[in-house]
Amino acid sequence: MLTEAPTSSPYVSETPYAPEDRRSAPDRRPPAAGYWRRLVPLLAVLACLTRIPSFARPLWNPDEGYLAVQARMLAHGGTLYDTVVDRKPPLVPWLYEAVFAVFGSGSLTPLRVCAVAAQLATAVLLASLARRRWGDGAGRTAGVLYLLASIGLNPQDAQAATFEVFMLPWTVAAVWCADRRRWTLCGIAVAGAFLAKQTGGAVLLPAAWLLWRSRAPRTDWLRLGVGAAAPVLVVALCTDPAGFLFWTVTGSGAYASFAGSELHVLGRGLTNAAILAVACAGIIPPIVRVLRIARTGCGELWLWLGASAASVLAGFHFFGHYYLQLVPPLALLGAAALTILPRERVVHALLVSVCCCSLFVTWGMCAPRTDLVHAQRVASALRTHTAPHERVLVWGMHPETYWLADRAPASRYLTAGLLTNYSGGRDGPQVGEKWAMAGAWPVLRRELAARPPAWIVDDSRGAPYRPERVRSLKRILASYREAGTVDGAVLYRYRPDGPS
C-alpha cells in the first residue's frame, strides 16, 4: 500500500515547477526522434479507432448541418456575419468551406478525416507537455488517456466534426507554448482557440498564470497580448467588424440566460457530467488518490481545468460537446498522478480507460438515428417537389435538411432558434419573437418579400416556436397553401395570388 509520495515527485516540491530547472539537468532520455517515431503512429492508430463511428453516418448533429449549409452559402457568394450568420466565430465555417472547395460539398467524410487529425494533434501536444515535465512514460500515458477519454460522451457530441474538436488543438498548443515561454506563439494559439469557439479563449488564464509565475518582463506580457489580439482583429476586419462583434459576443444575451426550463437544463448538465465521469473512470481515481497524499505543484493545470469547467457553465445550456474542453487538462493531471503511483496503477488506469472507450465506440456504432432519418425524409420530399434553383424555408431546428435536400435556404437564419431564442429544449417563457436576435424579424420579412421561397416546411411539430405562437410566421404562411405532411412536418406551397 502506498503511504507517502516519493520525495523526488514533482508534487511535493515547495517551489512551483520551473521549466528551466529541467533544462539544466542532464537529459538521459532517448533521442526525441526515436521516441516520437514510435509514439506518433500508435496515437494515430488510436485516433482512427476511436473515431470509427464518426464515418458510420452522413451527419451526427445539427451543428454539422449548420456548418455544411454555411459553407455552401459562403461558396456561392455569401458574406459572413451579413448574409451568412451564426453565433460562432469564423474559423470552423471557413474550414468547412475550404474542404468543400477541394473535395465537394456532398459528403462530410473529408471533415471527419480533419477531425481525426485534430484529435491526433491534440494528443501529440499533450504527450509532449507531459514528457517534458515528467518523462517518457508520462508522455505516452497522457496522449493515450486523452484519446481514450475524448469520445466519452453521447456519440452525437463526441463523434461530430464540430467546433470543440477543432478548438482543442489550439488550446493545448497555447499551454504548450506557454510552458516553453514562447509568448507570441502562445497568444496566437489563444486567438486560434477563440476563433474556433469563444470559450476556447479561457485557456488564456493558465497561460497568463505561467507567464506571471515565471516573473517575465513586461515585454513578454506585451507579446502575449499582441499575439492574442492581433489575429482576432484581423479576422474581424476581414469579415464585418460590427457584425463579428454582435454575432460572437454582444448579441447572445437572451441565449445565455438561465431562465426557462431550468430543471431540464440542469438534468442535461448532470447527465453529461456523469457520462464523462464514466469515460474518465481510469483517470479520476489516480488524481483523487494523489490529492490525498501529496501536495500538487501543477497550479496551471488546475487553473486550466477550472477555466474549462467555467466554459462548460457559460450560457447555462450544458450541451454534451461542451464537456470535451475538460478532457485535455484531465488527461495531463491523470498522467502526472500516475507518475508517482506504482506501475500496476498505470496498467489498471489504462485497462479501465480502454474498456470504457470500447463501450463508447460500441454506443457510437449502435446509436439510433431518429433525428437523421426524419431530416432525410423531409429533405427527400423537398427534392421531389422543388427544382434545384428554387429556395425553401425550413422552420425548425434541423438546418441539415437544406444540405440533405441540396436546396438553398431562403433566409440567412437557418434555424427557428435565432428567431425565437429556442435552443436545446428550452420551452420556458423566453421563447418567441420578443426574444429573437435583435433586428432578425425585419430582415427575415425583407428577405421573404424580395424573393418568396417556393416551399416552407413547418418542422416545429408542436414545439414552443410553432406557428400558432409566432404571429409573424402565421402572417407569412397566409401566402401559402398546405400541401401535405412528411413525418410530422407540414409542407406549404407558395401561391402568388395569396394575400401579401
Side-chain angles (χ1 to χ4, degrees):
M1 177 179 291
L2 184 64
T3 57
E4 61 180 12
T7 57
S8 61
S9 166
Y11 282 86
V12 297
S13 173
E14 293 295 333
T15 58
Y17 171 83
E20 65 272 16
D21 295 342
R22 186 170 291 277
R23 293 195 195 101
S24 63
D27 193 351
R28 298 185 178 89
R29 292 176 299 186
Y35 178 81
W36 293 112
R37 196 181 300 118
R38 293 188 296 271
L39 181 58
V40 172
L42 169 65
L43 295 179
V45 170
L46 191 55
C48 293
L49 290 175
T50 55
R51 297 197 68 83
I52 284 176
S54 69
F55 296 90
R57 62 179 64 184
L59 271 160
W60 275 98
N61 63 25
D63 282 349
E64 285 187 324
Y66 205 114
L67 285 163
V69 178
Q70 276 187 300
R72 280 182 173 174
M73 295 170 71
L74 290 171
H76 287 84
T79 303
L80 202 57
Y81 306 121
D82 182 11
T83 58
V84 182
V85 297
D86 191 14
R87 290 186 171 101
K88 299 294 193 302
L91 203 59
V92 182
W94 282 344
L95 173 65
Y96 268 63
E97 181 187 8
V99 172
F100 280 0
V102 176
F103 298 100
S105 63
S107 171
L108 295 187
T109 297
L111 274 306
R112 307 273 193 253
V113 176
C114 291
V116 172
Q119 290 289 75
L120 175 60
T122 304
V124 169
L125 287 167
L126 286 170
S128 179
L129 266 168
R131 181 179 189 245
R132 184 168 186 265
R133 293 188 169 205
W134 306 297
D136 294 346
R140 289 188 290 268
T141 301
V144 170
L145 285 178
Y146 169 75
L147 290 173
L148 293 175
S150 64
I151 61 165
L153 289 164
N154 189 311
Q156 68 179 6
D157 294 307
Q159 296 291 345
T162 50
F163 301 97
E164 287 79 9
V165 170
F166 297 111
M167 175 189 74
L168 291 182
W170 292 101
T171 60
V172 181
V175 178
W176 187 94
C177 292
D179 193 56
R180 287 156 175 78
R181 298 189 175 188
R182 301 176 185 178
W183 301 115
T184 302
L185 292 176
C186 176
I188 293 172
V190 171
F194 174 83
L195 291 172
K197 189 185 176 187
Q198 295 94 322
T199 55
V203 77
L204 183 61
L205 287 176
W209 168 268
L210 284 169
L211 178 55
W212 171 80
R213 198 177 63 178
S214 68
R215 298 179 177 86
R218 292 182 180 179
T219 54
D220 286 345
W221 286 97
L222 181 61
R223 291 190 185 97
L224 177 63
V226 171
V232 177
L233 180 60
V234 169
V235 167
L237 293 174
C238 289
T239 55
D240 170 37
F244 175 84
L245 180 64
F246 174 78
W247 283 98
T248 63
V249 181
T250 64
S252 300
Y255 177 83
S257 171
F258 192 59
S261 302
E262 290 86 351
L263 292 178
H264 176 79
V265 170
L266 285 174
R268 183 198 303 130
L270 294 174
T271 299
N272 286 323
I275 294 174
L276 183 62
V278 171
C280 297
I283 302 175
I284 295 175
I287 296 175
V288 174
R289 183 177 177 83
V290 167
L291 280 178
R292 291 194 352 253
I293 63 176
R295 177 184 305 199
T296 63
C298 302
E300 69 281 358
L301 299 185
W302 290 106
L303 185 59
W304 185 9
L305 182 62
S308 300
S311 299
V312 173
L313 295 173
F316 304 108
H317 283 77
F318 305 110
F319 293 125
H321 47 88
Y322 290 7
Y323 289 76
L324 290 174
Q325 200 166 347
L326 299 170
V327 180
L330 281 172
L332 273 181
L333 286 167
L338 290 168
T339 59
I340 63 170
L341 290 173
R343 181 175 177 80
E344 57 266 22
R345 297 287 298 178
V346 179
V347 175
H348 179 266
L350 291 174
L351 286 176
V352 171
S353 296
V354 167
C355 292
C356 293
C357 179
S358 301
L359 176 66
F360 283 99
V361 169
T362 304
W363 185 7
M365 296 301 297
C366 302
R369 305 170 54 154
T370 306
D371 288 342
L372 175 60
V373 170
H374 170 78
Q376 288 172 324
R377 289 172 178 169
V378 175
S380 177
L382 286 175
R383 284 196 305 272
T384 300
H385 294 294
T386 61
H389 68 278
E390 290 183 314
R391 297 180 176 233
V392 298
L393 177 69
V394 179
W395 180 256
M397 298 300 293
H398 291 281
E400 63 269 26
T401 306
Y402 295 112
W403 182 73
L404 293 168
D406 196 16
R407 296 294 182 266
S411 171
R412 69 195 68 189
Y413 305 115
L414 302 184
T415 70
L418 297 174
L419 294 158
T420 64
N421 195 43
Y422 179 87
S423 60
R426 174 181 279 145
D427 56 6
Q430 292 189 0
V431 174
E433 292 181 63
K434 178 181 178 181
W435 306 103
M437 297 287 289
W441 276 100
V443 171
L444 177 70
R445 283 191 284 265
R446 288 197 299 269
E447 288 176 324
L448 300 190
R451 192 172 177 181
W455 289 73
I456 293 179
V457 179
D458 170 23
D459 197 24
S460 57
R461 292 177 287 167
Y465 55 86
R466 58 189 179 274
E468 292 78 9
R469 296 184 57 177
V470 184
R471 187 177 304 173
S472 291
L473 181 63
K474 286 186 66 176
R475 287 198 290 265
I476 292 170
L477 289 176
S479 299
Y480 291 74
R481 63 179 178 84
E482 187 174 333
T485 61
V486 177
D487 201 26
V490 184
L491 278 64
Y492 293 88
R493 185 174 184 176
Y494 182 63
R495 46 176 185 164
D497 58 338
S500 62

